[in-house]
Amino acid sequence: MRRSESYLPVPGEDKNLDGDFNGKTRNDESMPMKTLYASDGSLLHLPLGPYFSDGQRRVDYVLTYGIQKPSAIRRQSSKLSDNGYFHRLWRSLSSRSSRAPLQLKEDPEVAATEQQANYHEDDKRFKREEFEQNLQEMGLELEKDEGGKIAGIGFLKIHAPWAVLCREAEIMKLKMPTKQVYEVKQGSNLVEKIRLFIHKVTDPLHPKVGPKRPEDVKSLSLPFSKEKQHLFDLSDRDKFFDSKTRSSIVYEVLKRIRWTRPNYSLGITSLLANGVYTSAYPLHDGDIDGVTAEPNDRKLLFEEWASYSVFYKYQPIGLIRKYFGEKVGLYFAWLGVYTQMLIPAAIVGVIVFLYGCATVDDNIPSMEICDPRNNITMCPLCDSVCSYWKLETACGTARASHLFDNPATVFFSIFMALWAVLFMEHWKRRQMRLNYVWDLTDYGMEEEEHYKDHNRAEYELRVAEKTMRQDQGAAKDEKVKLTCTDRMPAYLTTVVMMSFMIFITFVIAFGVILYRISIKTALHLSTYPAARSNIRATVKTTAAIINVIVIIILDEIYASIARWLTTLEVPKTDKSFEERLIFKTFILKFVNAFTPIVYLAFFRGRLVGRPGKYLYVVGSYRMEECAHAGCLMELCIQLCITMLGKQLIQNNLFEIGIPKLKKLLRKRKSELTSKQEEELHKTLKRYEKDHVLGPFVGINPEYMEMIIQFGMVTLFVASFPLAPLFALLNNIIEIRLDAKKFVLELRRPIASKVKDIGIWYNLLRGLSKVAVIVNAFVIAFTSDFVPRLVYQYTYSPDGTMHGFVNHTLSYFNVSDFQNGTEPNPPNFNVKVCRYKDYREPPWSNTSYELSKEFWAILAVRLAFVIVFQNVVMLMSDFVDWLIPDIPKDISFQIHKEKLLMLDHFMKEEGRRRDNHNHDGYTSPSSGIASPHSRPTFHTRAGW
Amino acid sequence: MRRSESYLPVPGEDKNLDGDFNGKTRNDESMPMKTLYASDGSLLHLPLGPYFSDGQRRVDYVLTYGIQKPSAIRRQSSKLSDNGYFHRLWRSLSSRSSRAPLQLKEDPEVAATEQQANYHEDDKRFKREEFEQNLQEMGLELEKDEGGKIAGIGFLKIHAPWAVLCREAEIMKLKMPTKQVYEVKQGSNLVEKIRLFIHKVTDPLHPKVGPKRPEDVKSLSLPFSKEKQHLFDLSDRDKFFDSKTRSSIVYEVLKRIRWTRPNYSLGITSLLANGVYTSAYPLHDGDIDGVTAEPNDRKLLFEEWASYSVFYKYQPIGLIRKYFGEKVGLYFAWLGVYTQMLIPAAIVGVIVFLYGCATVDDNIPSMEICDPRNNITMCPLCDSVCSYWKLETACGTARASHLFDNPATVFFSIFMALWAVLFMEHWKRRQMRLNYVWDLTDYGMEEEEHYKDHNRAEYELRVAEKTMRQDQGAAKDEKVKLTCTDRMPAYLTTVVMMSFMIFITFVIAFGVILYRISIKTALHLSTYPAARSNIRATVKTTAAIINVIVIIILDEIYASIARWLTTLEVPKTDKSFEERLIFKTFILKFVNAFTPIVYLAFFRGRLVGRPGKYLYVVGSYRMEECAHAGCLMELCIQLCITMLGKQLIQNNLFEIGIPKLKKLLRKRKSELTSKQEEELHKTLKRYEKDHVLGPFVGINPEYMEMIIQFGMVTLFVASFPLAPLFALLNNIIEIRLDAKKFVLELRRPIASKVKDIGIWYNLLRGLSKVAVIVNAFVIAFTSDFVPRLVYQYTYSPDGTMHGFVNHTLSYFNVSDFQNGTEPNPPNFNVKVCRYKDYREPPWSNTSYELSKEFWAILAVRLAFVIVFQNVVMLMSDFVDWLIPDIPKDISFQIHKEKLLMLDHFMKEEGRRRDNHNHDGYTSPSSGIASPHSRPTFHTRAGW
């Protein structure tokens, strides 16, 4: 084994951090890269923490690369191959278990280690050397380690010295806390008292993340600047920039540095994609368990956040942000707000459901259906094999239907529409508050743009190819970029594939319908009475389960297809890639998840035709009817099973079950006992431990899952008031599951700074808008709410619901059956059967035509949709307008901060002038108006 | 007459502007304020430009105050009283002609000069002296002039020396252009060529505002900083900050300075409100005409912008912004975009109208109505006095109706909905482009907040009062502010008054309806045949004109009531005042303008009842019916008259006519001949000339006018396709009218920096959303579009429109008339008359009930509304999503600018290091990736 020393050992380097470089040797390009070997035993005595071998300089970033092991070394230790195996297994496990359909960067390690032609290796090493030289020129310090426990992998550890940190912090305009603190006053005395009281009551719910800075004090943050170093608290320079900031600074530098040739240049992303480097990651702060683990943020996060035992607590968002950066912090903050907001929704949903349960016995329509004295003969539900049936047999369904189809449901839909708006508003305010606390308030759009505007490797490659091709012909100084023409084939493929996949979804949904129809007919034929009695329930449930399984399978397939299509399009930047991928995935997943539900809600039972003139599809399949009390019940079952199924299967099976299974499998196959493995793990260095973790693939898959769930909760909430409850239960698990994944199973992500959740907010907004109209239609058309209302207020002779069931049923003369469709054997007692529709009776002039009632009720239904949609939209907009986006106290604080800054500036000015000693001018700050300062403050200047 | 010298004469002051003050004397608080008198004649030899009496220092701001003329002086010159009169007349004229319902600051001059009790005068002078002392402490230089041509007014001229400008520019983070310029490349070669071509073609349309900087080059702007002075082009320090910037800097300082007492302090706004100062304004750049006028921006603006002769040209937005600041610049840019966007809308509107004209002869329904062979007898239009009438007499109306009620109208509504979205998007992009050109891209929300968060005088006064009251009782360190309780009476008054005024509007609208009904009946009674034949037209037109006049009168009344109500509420800041005022004014003006129109569109003819069972209001007034071909025609006339009337009367009469009339009146009364007056005007100094102009009162009234017009254009466009044309013609005049007002008649506004048009954008968005639903209802319910469609596709025997008229008319048996309502004298030939409704015939079982057709058509109408609303909304959202808010080239430029900044920064870094000379380190900038730079750039570092 060999251990490399740093390129620039400077072990006793006096950390003279005055902003000037004093390492002249760094520029010495002729310095040979020494790689020294050390004995195996010495490794254990080195600090395992994230430091260079001198134990002083922190490792801020790690690049790994494949090395061709000298065969001599390979022979020396047979253990190494085990390690290699161990490593590969780990790699495949962690990359699979992260189950990332939106994975942004492929893990090229396996491919890279397999392709070991000598020539390529040399070329790569050459590129690496040059690239590393450039790194050093930018002031970064490097150290190599090619002989660790993990064979075949070399580690390049990068350390950013103080001077580099300062320079980059200034370029990135990083806002750092100054020494100056100010009081955060939360409002008037009463408000303050209430706040304190609430804080006291909810104290057990707050995570214990160490001795917090008192909440009433915040330090004034200023963009870091070398000239103004005296403003910042630099007592401990090593801790002034925390590990997250250090690694993101190094990453910024890395992104800027390029390996260049006259014709093209490669950035770090391209180098990664080409396998010159195999991976790049910052290090975790430390270990979670084991005796060696000193207290660190990661451990704290594990204990106070990533554990099921603290499921009832708030999340330590500040710490999450400190450790993972703003983007991840915002995701969890959002998820927290969403989950919190689900609590009232779930409670109201349960109340609505209970109201349904309580009133089921007083419900006149279901009483009428259940009353055998009414003795209503219904027309058969299928051709020939089905017979006439008595309405009272539908009693159970009718009663169950009432649970979900009652006036409270209408209220609940409106409530949920407003809930969605409130959720958005609440989130916007929370986001603003976080922005304030995290000093992002004047972090502008352009800075964000700047972070993200980094070309993708594939794009650079394609441009390079195009440049080569064009070099022969065209003018050279034209800027080469990919035009629409270049991308046309990819776009066409996308359109075709997307349409095809949506078509597939429809076909499958249609297949399930046919399954339902045929099974129903088959069961009718069966002579076994138990089967017949349970026909409806059986068919519904099996069909729903099939749907769920299909949805889950297609979800996985669609995710990879969307990825593939996006790769084909060669987007320019990661941001554009992300957007296109999200767009495609969203459409596909959404169509996939909602096709069966939409069919049930709006089409089922509507395309039936009427007795004697049924509608047939695919030859002789008669379209299915709804049970008497509307399709709402079936919609409800479908939604229930979809939500439960998706969550149970995706969360428990995919995210918990499969990893466990794999672990078991690995244990059986591995030649190491668990003890040995543990031992090995202990001796691994920090960057080696992190290397075996799964790569971070972005948080978009997590968002996507939540958005689909949000869709389920809001879109069809009129038909299933328990949806929020289900979602709530799922999310409580989801938070901790995701937390565990981030803390334990994945490499630390590079902190990316964002102000908001971006496109997801727009999707949420879009969904909640669509939800209003969908709910309006569900109430108007799927439920019997409107017909009941119309009957009660216009047709009912006594203003009650008595006679409603009779009113909804039309008459059919059995002699009008088409040949071959009448029940077989015929029942000659029945002359007239009833069916659910508003049509003229057989004895009318215009028999079987749609009746006046039909049109009147249709008009009312449509009017209801218009009124509902516009009223709810208006209310939403009103709520939106009423609640200011920026909480009052925050806008007050921001204003105060500005004034402080001004004051500070004027003092600075005064001091500078005093130093120059030109005059005895009094400090101009005395004349500044601070709107809320007490007047006494001004007397100095006034008098 | 007396002329004051500056407090700090320093006449030969060497303008050593190295950022340090060297005027030690300024701090000498004991220096007496010398006010020297000079002979009258010397005045004329002083420069008339905006300079101190030394002719060197620029007057950046002027404060005026009332002075008690020593009676000796008054006797000396009898001319002075003329001047006083002249002045007062001017004042009243200019303040009236500005016609500003949203006027932000009352003009307290008249009140102030009248209240001349000696005690008050002394108190004021005392306050002034102290305040001015504070001004000097902040480094401003002052000069007084109490003996100008305008008697009774003292002028305090303020000059900001270089040091103050620098300091404030740094505090305000003013972005100033650096020496470094960069090329603005507009895209690929082809795009560039097209752009050049377009520019060439439209060249005559571009205003000639001097030798412009080549458009392809933009200088990199950086926040001004004293340390980085070397970056900026300071070759001419006097012109580095332009006059607009200088005055806004002084204003910023003024806002900060306060006159303080232990218990309360007064800012400049309070001092103005208390009459300590009578007005505050920056100076115009120079004269517009006359021999003395050297070229200046104001003159240029007058020639190339504020003149009807250049109506066809683009506006010089850059110059407007340079002269008036961003807020005014944005208003005119917005108005320009709106007017430009109206051109295609007007063209399409005219085409739609022409299509209606062209197809009027092929229109089967109107042919059927006009055909005397059909011989349809209609039921009488009023009780007793009216008789039966033949349908063919409505021929003219029916034909005219077709002009506005044809399928093209539906298309036009959809077009206009999308047009509105496109307009928004276009504006957003334009705004972004302007932000980029004006260096506002990272001008954050907080800076804006900061500018606006300045307490209003009234608020300060109320708080001071409250403090005094509380001092006796409550704890002292509680921050005093106005709570809801303090404002409750005002809020209550607001609610009551607003409701009352809305009620008034409704009552007046109802009054007009009654007028229409009674006049119609009266005219029917008249035996004069010409009157009878023109009944409808006469009634419609007179009613519409009455409506317009009422609207215009109420508009003025409501504006002042809204102002009064807002003052009652004592809002804290100007921004809050503005918002509350806009909110109230908008509601009142909107209700006022649209009540008659909404009545005509949606209620007229719908609350009629049916023959034999008419609906009566206010005793015996039978509600009016529509003409046969729907109410669309009347709606159209009303809209046409409202738009024309409002624009003609408000623009021409109020904005052009009345000022002219007043001028005439003034000429007759004035003892001065026009020659003398001109002579006097010539000898006035700049600040005196500006003093006689009207005060700037904000641009909200202008916005409000345009928003109401936008409402007219979009809301009921389905009924009046010529609305965009009318609006276009009006706006072409409006732009120049407003321009003239700003350049000629008003004092120069203080430049305020804003990024967007704020609340107006939201109002526009809201209006265009409401427009979709309103248009859907107009098409579905007011026009006959849906019934025609339904007839053609379901009821028509041959699929054509033949028989449609007959289908829409129901039958009435004349024997069913209520007693006393049948026509008198009775016509015994008529057994059955027809009326427009879908009801069962008298011979049906359910006679006169709404028929099945009615319900079917109603359902289709409602379905149309739903489909129209949602499709148009979807399309709008799609267009919104499709068009990026930031134009691609701009986002590219912004990115490029960022890179340049980075590069610049790194170079700076390198230079600094070189100066320190610690090592021979190469410039790190060589390693920076500039995504679009040619690769050769990088070879230096790579090799």
Side-chain angles (χ1 to χ4, degrees), chain B residues 511-766:
Chain B
V512 174
I513 296 168
L514 291 189
Y515 158 82
R516 218 158 21 200
I517 298 172
S518 47
I519 289 291
K520 218 183 259 175
T521 318
L523 286 174
H524 267 289
L525 281 174
S526 129
T527 47
Y528 189 55
R532 296 189 68 158
S533 68
N534 294 318
I535 287 172
R536 280 180 185 277
T538 318
V539 172
K540 275 177 215 164
T541 317
T542 51
I545 289 171
I546 291 174
N547 264 329
V548 172
I549 292 169
V550 167
I551 286 174
I552 290 171
I553 294 170
L554 283 186
D555 249 15
E556 299 295 317
I557 296 172
Y558 285 177
S560 34
I561 291 181
R563 237 194 114 58
W564 170 66
L565 286 175
T566 314
T567 316
L568 275 191
E569 286 178 17
V570 199
K572 189 172 168 191
T573 60
D574 275 345
K575 197 185 161 199
S576 152
F577 185 90
E578 207 170 284
E579 272 170 12
R580 283 161 194 244
L581 181 57
I582 288 173
F583 177 72
K584 289 190 190 65
T585 321
F586 180 74
I587 289 186
L588 289 177
K589 288 209 169 190
F590 205 78
V591 169
N592 186 24
F594 286 99
T595 300
I597 298 173
V598 168
Y599 165 75
L600 273 181
F602 299 125
F603 297 102
R604 174 118 189 248
R606 250 155 262 285
L607 305 165
V608 177
R610 59 168 178 83
K613 205 181 169 186
Y614 282 114
L615 190 77
Y616 295 92
V617 286
V618 199
S620 59
Y621 285 98
R622 195 177 114 189
M623 283 303 287
E624 30 177 14
E625 282 174 69
C626 286
H628 175 77
C631 283
L632 207 66
M633 193 62 211
E634 306 210 5
L635 178 57
C636 183
I637 292 176
Q638 176 79 45
L639 264 173
C640 180
I641 289 180
T642 308
M643 278 194 79
L644 266 183
K646 270 198 79 158
Q647 291 175 359
L648 281 179
I649 296 176
Q650 285 193 341
N651 273 349
N652 297 353
L653 200 68
F654 282 19
E655 301 202 8
I656 307 178
I658 290 188
K660 283 235 167 106
L661 199 78
K662 292 226 168 153
K663 216 172 200 169
L664 209 79
L665 218 73
R666 179 163 59 88
K667 275 235 175 92
R668 188 175 297 173
K669 276 198 181 171
S670 167
E671 292 155 39
L672 293 163
T673 64
S674 73
K675 188 100 187 256
Q676 271 174 305
E677 197 179 292
E678 216 167 76
E679 201 63 34
L680 176 71
H681 192 74
K682 261 185 201 157
T683 62
L684 284 178
K685 273 171 281 179
R686 184 71 258 144
Y687 50 88
E688 289 166 329
K689 280 182 194 163
D690 282 4
H691 186 258
V692 297
L693 296 179
F696 176 77
V697 291
I699 43 174
N700 289 329
E702 325 288 340
Y703 271 121
M704 185 65 77
E705 201 179 313
M706 283 298 119
I707 295 284
I708 299 281
Q709 193 205 61
F710 181 80
M712 295 265 177
V713 170
T714 51
L715 282 186
F716 290 91
V717 83
S719 58
F720 187 42
L722 293 181
L725 181 68
F726 282 31
L728 175 64
L729 296 177
N730 175 64
N731 285 6
I732 289 173
I733 301 170
E734 180 80 23
I735 289 179
R736 308 301 160 177
L737 205 69
D738 283 350
K740 270 178 187 289
K741 197 165 83 184
F742 277 83
V743 173
L744 292 179
E745 292 169 23
L746 297 185
R747 287 180 196 154
R748 190 170 180 178
I750 294 149
S752 55
K753 226 174 196 173
V754 288
K755 260 191 112 159
D756 49 41
I757 57 173
I759 192 171
W760 301 108
Y761 183 78
N762 298 334
L763 286 179
L764 281 177
R765 260 210 113 74

Side-chain angles (χ1 to χ4, degrees), chain A residues 137 171 442 446 869 902 921, chain B residues 137 171 442 446 902 921:
Chain A
E137 269 170 28
I171 294 177
D442 39 55
E446 298 114 49
Q869 184 186 3
L902 181 71
Y921 208 78
Chain B
E137 269 171 27
I171 292 177
D442 39 56
E446 298 113 50
L902 183 71
Y921 207 78

Side-chain angles (χ1 to χ4, degrees), chain A residues 20-21 27 130 134 136-139 167 170-171 173 189 226-227 256-258 260-263 441-442 445-446 453 478-479 572 583 769 773 777 840 849-850 852 855-856 858-859 862-863 865-866 869-870 873 877 881 886 892 894-895 898 902 905-906 909 912-913 916 918-921 924 927-929 932 935-936 938-939 941-943, chain B residues 20-21 27 130 134 136-139 167 170-171 173 189 226-227 256-258 260-263 432 441-442 445-446 453 478-479 572 583 769 773 777 840 849-850 852 855-856 858-859 862-863 865-866 869-870 873 877 881 886 892 894-895 898 902 905-906 909 912-913 916 918-921 924 927-929 932 935 938-939 941-943:
Chain A
D20 297 312
F21 291 82
N27 200 32
E130 276 181 16
N134 289 347
Q136 283 177 293
E137 269 170 28
M138 287 300 283
R167 185 189 66 210
E170 200 165 347
I171 294 177
K173 293 183 191 155
N189 264 5
K226 256 182 275 185
E227 285 87 20
R256 248 190 284 133
I257 293 169
R258 302 176 75 78
T260 47
R261 280 290 174 279
N263 267 330
T441 36
D442 39 55
M445 172 203 73
E446 298 114 49
D453 260 5
E478 185 79 20
K479 203 176 59 213
K572 192 173 167 191
F583 179 70
K769 269 188 196 166
I773 181 91
F777 272 99
E840 302 277 351
E849 272 193 10
L850 294 169
K852 193 166 152 184
W855 291 109
L858 181 63
L862 290 165
V865 170
I866 294 175
Q869 184 186 3
N870 287 292
M873 268 173 27
D877 283 349
W881 173 81
I886 306 171
F892 176 70
I894 291 174
H895 181 63
K898 288 276 153 194
L902 181 71
F905 193 92
M906 296 303 282
E909 174 87 6
R912 212 183 300 158
R913 212 176 17 248
H916 283 260
H918 277 285
D919 53 5
Y921 208 78
I928 300 169
H932 306 290
T936 47
H938 293 288
T939 43
W943 289 95
Chain B
D20 297 312
F21 290 84
N27 200 32
E130 274 181 16
N134 289 345
Q136 283 177 293
E137 269 171 27
M138 289 298 284
R167 185 189 66 211
E170 201 167 342
I171 292 177
K173 292 185 194 154
N189 265 4
K226 255 182 273 183
E227 285 86 21
R256 249 189 283 133
I257 293 168
R258 303 176 75 77
T260 49
R261 280 288 174 281
N263 267 331
M432 197 61 220
T441 36
D442 39 56
M445 170 203 74
E446 298 113 50
D453 260 5
E478 186 80 19
K479 204 176 59 214
K572 189 172 168 191
F583 177 72
K769 267 188 199 168
I773 183 90
F777 272 100
E840 302 276 351
E849 272 194 10
L850 293 170
K852 194 164 147 184
W855 290 109
L858 181 63
L862 290 166
V865 170
I866 294 175
Q869 184 186 4
N870 287 292
M873 266 172 28
D877 283 350
W881 173 80
I886 305 171
F892 176 71
I894 291 174
H895 181 63
K898 286 279 150 188
L902 183 71
F905 194 92
M906 296 302 283
E909 176 87 5
R912 211 182 301 159
R913 213 179 12 250
H916 283 260
H918 276 286
D919 53 6
Y921 207 78
I928 300 168
H932 305 293
H938 293 288
T939 44
W943 289 95

Side-chain angles (χ1 to χ4, degrees), chain B residues 380-538:
Chain B
L381 285 170
C382 56
D383 291 350
S384 338
V385 292
C386 304
S387 176
Y388 304 107
W389 58 286
K390 292 287 169 195
L391 187 60
E392 66 254 31
T393 58
C395 173
T397 324
R399 285 172 63 89
S401 231
H402 175 75
L403 300 182
F404 301 104
D405 184 5
N406 58 55
T409 320
V410 179
F411 155 77
F412 192 56
S413 304
I414 298 172
F415 171 83
M416 283 304 284
L418 291 184
W419 173 86
V421 179
L422 278 177
F423 167 48
M424 302 294 186
E425 286 300 309
H426 185 43
W427 169 244
K428 262 197 280 184
R429 287 163 68 88
R430 178 101 170 101
Q431 193 168 266
M432 197 61 220
R433 200 177 287 273
L434 290 177
N435 277 342
Y436 164 69
V437 177
W438 296 350
D439 286 321
L440 292 172
T441 36
D442 39 56
Y443 178 73
M445 170 203 74
E446 298 113 50
E447 274 99 338
E448 210 161 316
E449 285 286 321
H450 174 70
Y451 272 100
K452 287 177 180 167
D453 260 5
H454 193 244
N455 291 358
R456 298 192 81 232
E458 286 87 352
Y459 180 81
E460 279 187 352
L461 207 71
R462 280 285 294 272
V463 167
E465 277 170 23
K466 201 183 167 186
T467 318
M468 300 247 192
R469 255 181 292 131
Q470 287 201 338
D471 265 358
Q472 281 103 42
K476 225 190 161 182
D477 71 19
E478 186 80 19
K479 204 176 59 214
V480 176
K481 58 180 185 179
L482 292 189
T483 57
C484 264
T485 336
D486 293 316
R487 291 203 179 105
M488 196 42 78
Y491 285 149
L492 278 180
T493 319
T494 302
V495 171
V496 171
M497 278 301 289
M498 294 277 286
S499 319
F500 178 69
M501 283 184 292
I502 291 174
F503 175 71
I504 291 264
T505 312
F506 288 161
V507 165
I508 289 175
F510 190 67
V512 174
I513 296 168
L514 291 189
Y515 158 82
R516 218 158 21 200
I517 298 172
S518 47
I519 289 291
K520 218 183 259 175
T521 318
L523 286 174
H524 267 289
L525 281 174
S526 129
T527 47
Y528 189 55
R532 296 189 68 158
S533 68
N534 294 318
I535 287 172
R536 280 180 185 277
T538 318

Side-chain angles (χ1 to χ4, degrees), chain A residues 196-213:
Chain A
L196 276 178
F197 176 73
I198 291 174
H199 197 272
K200 219 171 187 175
V201 168
T202 59
D203 195 45
L205 299 184
H206 287 281
K208 298 199 171 26
V209 287
K212 273 182 298 184
R213 192 179 46 181

Side-chain angles (χ1 to χ4, degrees), chain A residues 94-109:
Chain A
S94 46
S95 67
R96 292 286 288 281
S97 67
S98 70
R99 193 183 53 81
L102 285 178
Q103 191 167 334
L104 273 180
K105 274 156 204 150
E106 264 113 344
D107 184 8
E109 290 171 46

Side-chain angles (χ1 to χ4, degrees), chain A residues 760-771:
Chain A
W760 301 109
Y761 183 78
N762 298 334
L763 286 179
L764 281 177
R765 260 211 115 74
L767 271 183
S768 58
K769 269 188 196 166
V770 174

